[in-house]
């Protein structure tokens, strides 16, 4: 009997044609002097649209500071708490900042006080003055580590933490207005396969729902999941959004940055290292709560990458991350054609500047890119303002005929059409093969799902190949 093997081929276009948008940047400026440090940098916009930069200092003049820009100038740093022994050791594990209208909240951990040292401090006037800090778990007897503060739709703070040890859970604490304190932690990881013990949370609210993107740890498989709750109490719904499936028996101490696009699509950016440290994106349909796609931000890169930050406004997506290629530089990419098109515009914004430039944090307000990063040589935070021109999309190509066709055979796939270069990736983003072809390309079946990207002078298409 002759056996018939059927191959399913799913073909999709990244975009019929990509244009290359451009970014223009002002010269970098110092956020503050070296006296106020450059640790654990975060940037956000207050209700007035002014950039606020959170930065920490260890040693002399230790503390946690906020510098606010007005009329293009940063004011004197504001020391937001009197505590000086703040955990600033890990850049990813340090303080976090959230904004709701004129409220600004910062969460932080007291060094060495892993059970009771998590705090939240709140400003009611766009970051200029600050109240007394709240200890989120003042009588706790188990670890409440790395608080990540967010606001719900009513403007009340809530916090995600790493709760306990062996095993570690994702803990969720809500603010109780009647008690003027945080309620005890509840489990926010009932639907995930374990929690990465020192990877920061990524908590946020959207359209009445509570969300948290966490790196999980199931038998040393490090994997990003998104969890959700309609009431902030029952966290029994979660999906895997990371196809890299990175196995490592040590904690990566890195998390994800997320932004919700105008159409309700969540884009998350993170580092994973199944084949070297690289930055990836994943997309999730929040309304349907379904995983969509994933890929490397810059799949052609072969240098070590880490610490991505991502922001959006309208159709535009802005990503920033660090790359080490004989020295650390900050990379930026932009797209108004989805995360797939980020690779078209990748550029180093610190090339030629002195010292190592690391740990970027970015926010885009629809007019300007606001970017901060750590300059290791000067011991300061640098700020860059950028402006976008052009587009990733080319109008009038919607009806343009696809220049390639692909057919499945028992032994593989045959692509026919316009002369082009190609790269074949596995689903983790690792390049398996690359080259050029004239008119026809044969891809043998290796019994693994693959992505074939084809690029000519005027077209970029991708095909997902499934055995």
């Amino acid at each position: 009997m002759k056996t018939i093997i059927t191959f399913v081929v799913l073909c999709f276009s990244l975009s019929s044609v990509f244009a290359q948008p451009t970014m223009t940047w002002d010269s970098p400026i110092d956020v503050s002097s070296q006296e106020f440090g450059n640790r654990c940098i975060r940037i956000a916009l207050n209700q007035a649209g002014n950039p606020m930069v959170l930065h920490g200092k260890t040693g002399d003049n230790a503390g946690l500071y906020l510098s606010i820009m007005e009329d293009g100038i940063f004011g004197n740093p504001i020391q937001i708490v009197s505590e000086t022994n703040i955990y600033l050791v890990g850049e990813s594990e340090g303080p976090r900042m959230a904004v709701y209208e004129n409220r600004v909240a910062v969460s932080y951990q007291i060094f060495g006080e892993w059970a009771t040292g998590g705090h939240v401090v709140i400003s009611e006037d766009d970051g200029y003055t600050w109240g007394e800090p709240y200890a989120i778990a003042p009588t706790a007897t188990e670890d409440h580590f790395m608080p990540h503060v967010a606001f719900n739709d009513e403007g009340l703070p809530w916090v995600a933490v790493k709760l306990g040890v062996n095993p570690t859970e994702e803990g969720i604490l809500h603010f109780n207005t009647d008690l003027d304190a945080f309620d005890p932690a509840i489990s926010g990881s009932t639907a995930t396969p374990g929690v990465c013990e020192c990877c920061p949370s990524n908590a946020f609210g959207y359209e009445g729902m509570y969300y948290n993107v966490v790196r999980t740890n199931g038998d040393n498989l490090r994997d990003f999941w998104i969890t959700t709750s309609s009431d902030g109490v029952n966290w029994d719904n979660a999906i895997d959004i990371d196809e890299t499936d990175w196995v490592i028996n040590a904690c990566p101490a890195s998390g994800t940055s997320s932004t919700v696009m105008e159409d309700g699509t969540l884009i998350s950016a993170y580092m994973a290292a199944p084949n070297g440290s690289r930055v990836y994106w994943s997309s999730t349909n929040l309304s349907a709560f379904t995983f969509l796609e994933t890929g490397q931000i810059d799949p052609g890169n072969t240098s070590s990458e880490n610490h991505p930050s991502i922001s959006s406004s309208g159709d535009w997506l802005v990503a920033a991350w660090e790359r080490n290629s004989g020295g650390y530089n900050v990379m930026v990419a932009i797209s108004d054609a989805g995360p797939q098109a980020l690779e078209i515009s990748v550029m180093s914004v610190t090339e030629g500047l002195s010292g190592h430039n690391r740990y970027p944090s970015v926010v885009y307000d629809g007019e300007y890119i606001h970017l901060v990063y750590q300059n290791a040589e000067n011991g300061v935070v640098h700020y860059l303002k950028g402006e976008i021109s052009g587009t990733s999309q080319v109008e009038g190509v919607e009806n343009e005929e696809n220049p390639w066709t692909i057919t499945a055979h028992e032994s593989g796939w045959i692509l026919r059409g316009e002369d082009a270069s190609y790269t074949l990736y596995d689903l983790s983003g690792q390049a398996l093969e690359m080259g050029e072809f004239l008119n026809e390309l044969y891809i043998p079946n290796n019994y693994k799902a693959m992505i074939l990207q084809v690029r000519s002078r005027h077209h970029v298409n991708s095909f997902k190949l499934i055995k």
Side-chain angles (χ1 to χ4, degrees):
M1 179 184 296
K2 186 175 181 180
T3 301
I4 304 298
I5 301 175
T6 302
F7 295 91
V8 179
V9 182
L10 173 64
C11 302
F12 61 95
S13 172
L14 292 178
S15 178
S16 295
V17 180
F18 283 151
Q20 186 168 1
T22 59
M23 295 170 275
T24 54
W25 297 90
D26 293 348
S27 298
I29 62 174
D30 293 351
V31 169
S32 65
S33 65
Q34 188 177 7
E35 176 186 2
F36 299 100
N38 64 355
R39 302 301 305 272
C40 300
I41 308 159
R42 319 289 181 214
I43 190 171
L45 303 178
N46 63 20
Q47 184 175 234
N50 293 323
M52 304 179 295
V53 181
L54 185 70
H55 49 105
K57 177 71 166 58
T58 57
D60 295 339
N61 203 44
L64 195 57
Y65 299 92
L66 188 74
S67 295
I68 304 175
M69 174 180 274
E70 288 189 45
D71 299 322
I73 300 173
F74 281 101
N76 293 328
I78 300 164
Q79 188 165 6
I80 67 175
V81 292
S82 59
E83 177 64 54
T84 59
N85 192 29
I86 295 171
Y87 185 79
L88 299 170
V89 176
E91 297 289 337
S92 294
E93 301 164 286
R96 298 285 168 168
M97 180 165 51
V99 179
Y100 178 87
E101 296 180 351
N102 67 331
R103 306 191 88 190
V104 184
V106 170
S107 55
Y108 61 94
Q109 184 94 33
I110 304 300
F111 189 90
E113 300 179 15
W114 311 128
T116 60
H119 286 73
V120 170
V121 62
I122 296 175
S123 167
E124 304 285 357
D125 61 357
D126 290 324
Y128 289 95
T129 62
W130 293 82
E132 286 297 315
Y134 293 92
I136 63 172
T139 62
T141 58
E142 61 179 344
D143 283 3
H144 287 60
F145 181 51
M146 271 193 304
H148 187 293
V149 68
F151 284 108
N152 65 17
D153 280 5
E154 297 175 350
L156 296 177
W158 59 285
V159 178
V161 298
K162 304 304 160 184
L163 181 64
V165 293
N166 297 324
T168 299
E169 291 185 85
E170 191 73 11
I172 304 295
L173 301 95
H174 294 279
F175 190 76
N176 187 319
T177 55
D178 293 332
L179 299 176
D180 194 34
F182 283 89
D183 286 331
I186 58 177
S187 177
S189 52
T190 55
T192 62
V195 174
C196 184
E197 60 274 19
C198 61
C199 295
S201 308
N202 181 201
F204 63 96
Y206 179 70
E207 292 192 344
M209 298 290 289
Y210 296 81
Y211 295 97
N212 192 12
V213 183
V214 296
R215 197 193 289 272
T216 60
N217 178 17
D219 295 326
N220 292 324
L221 191 152
R222 311 290 172 159
D223 198 19
F224 277 105
W225 287 57
I226 180 171
T227 64
T228 188
S229 171
S230 60
D231 58 7
V233 176
N234 298 301
W235 293 82
D236 54 1
N237 198 2
I239 54 174
D240 186 348
I241 64 169
D242 174 9
E243 294 182 335
T244 64
D245 294 343
W246 177 23
V247 177
I248 180 175
N249 60 4
C251 183
S254 64
T256 186
S257 173
S258 297
T259 186
V260 182
M261 303 292 290
E262 193 173 51
D263 64 358
T265 300
L266 177 75
I267 309 296
S268 299
Y270 54 90
M271 181 277 293
N275 298 290
S277 176
R278 304 288 185 268
V279 291
Y280 295 81
W281 59 266
S282 290
S283 57
T284 305
N285 182 322
L286 289 183
S287 62
F289 202 57
T290 54
F291 166 70
L292 299 175
E293 297 179 58
T294 189
Q296 273 186 248
I297 292 181
D298 186 8
N301 167 61
T302 58
S303 298
S304 178
E305 299 174 318
N306 208 342
H307 303 293
S309 176
I310 199 160
S311 180
S312 64
S313 179
D315 292 333
W316 282 102
L317 185 64
V318 179
W321 67 98
E322 70 175 35
R323 176 178 292 173
N324 183 7
S325 54
Y328 286 95
N329 277 298
V330 173
M331 314 300 295
V332 177
I334 56 176
S335 168
D336 62 344
Q340 302 91 337
L342 285 170
E343 65 175 279
I344 303 300
S345 62
V346 173
M347 68 177 297
S348 170
V349 296
T350 59
E351 193 74 38
L353 301 180
S354 61
H356 294 296
N357 297 287
R358 306 189 63 185
Y359 309 117
S361 181
V362 70
V363 63
Y364 179 57
D365 63 11
E367 184 177 8
Y368 297 110
I369 303 170
H370 304 277
L371 173 70
V372 288
Y373 58 89
Q374 178 195 96
N375 181 272
E377 182 179 61
N378 297 331
V380 299
V381 182
H382 280 175
Y383 167 85
L384 272 174
K385 186 173 77 171
E387 194 168 1
I388 297 171
S389 58
T391 178
S392 305
Q393 307 176 56
V394 176
E395 296 181 1
V397 301
E398 291 83 355
N399 299 320
E400 182 173 328
E401 186 176 343
N402 185 349
W404 299 288
T405 60
I406 191 165
T407 55
H409 297 267
E410 290 189 1
S411 59
W413 296 268
I414 297 178
L415 183 81
R416 295 183 175 89
E418 192 171 88
D419 299 350
S421 61
Y422 73 94
T423 305
L424 191 66
Y425 300 98
D426 63 22
L427 292 188
S428 73
Q430 175 74 7
L432 304 174
E433 179 183 330
M434 60 182 63
E436 298 179 350
F437 67 92
L438 302 177
N439 301 321
E440 184 175 293
L441 173 67
Y442 172 69
I443 301 294
N445 177 28
N446 66 0
Y447 298 96
K448 294 181 180 179
M450 298 177 290
I451 302 292
L452 173 64
Q453 185 181 85
V454 191
R455 184 188 301 271
S456 69
R457 184 175 179 181
H458 299 293
H459 299 88
V460 178
N461 277 18
S462 286
F463 303 90
K464 189 170 186 179
L465 311 179
I466 303 174
K467 67 183 180 69

